[in-house]
Amino acid sequence: MPNSVYKVIELVGSSSVSWEKAAQNAISMASKSLRDLRIAEVCQMDMHITEGEIECYRIKMKVSFKYQD
């Protein structure tokens, strides 16, 4: 890991099922275009509520990936 450089981006994932699924959705989508994902840090969790029912779970996270030569 010496002399490595990493980029940190922010992602927001959503799911009608759970926060865990929202996080998985974000990572799954990011991994299609980014290589070598390293760390994901959850920054915020919230949900949309409609008429007393949870409509959608959302999770905001910071994700790092290694720059490639």
Side-chain angles (χ1 to χ4, degrees):
M1 191 175 328
N3 300 320
S4 296
V5 176
Y6 296 88
K7 170 95 174 145
V8 178
I9 61 171
E10 191 169 76
L11 300 175
V12 177
S14 63
S15 167
S16 60
V17 178
S18 68
W19 281 303
E20 291 84 0
K21 185 65 176 162
Q24 182 61 52
N25 290 344
I27 295 299
S28 292
M29 182 62 72
S31 68
K32 291 179 182 179
S33 61
L34 300 171
R35 292 181 305 162
D36 212 2
L37 296 176
R38 293 298 179 114
I39 302 292
E41 175 188 357
V42 174
C43 302
Q44 183 179 349
M45 295 170 23
D46 62 31
M47 61 183 84
H48 289 225
I49 300 171
T50 303
E51 296 180 11
E53 298 290 325
I54 298 170
E55 184 176 323
C56 181
Y57 296 88
R58 290 188 336 156
I59 194 161
K60 185 185 291 185
M61 64 177 78
K62 292 181 182 179
V63 178
S64 68
F65 58 95
K66 188 175 180 182
Y67 272 119
Q68 301 292 322
D69 288 337

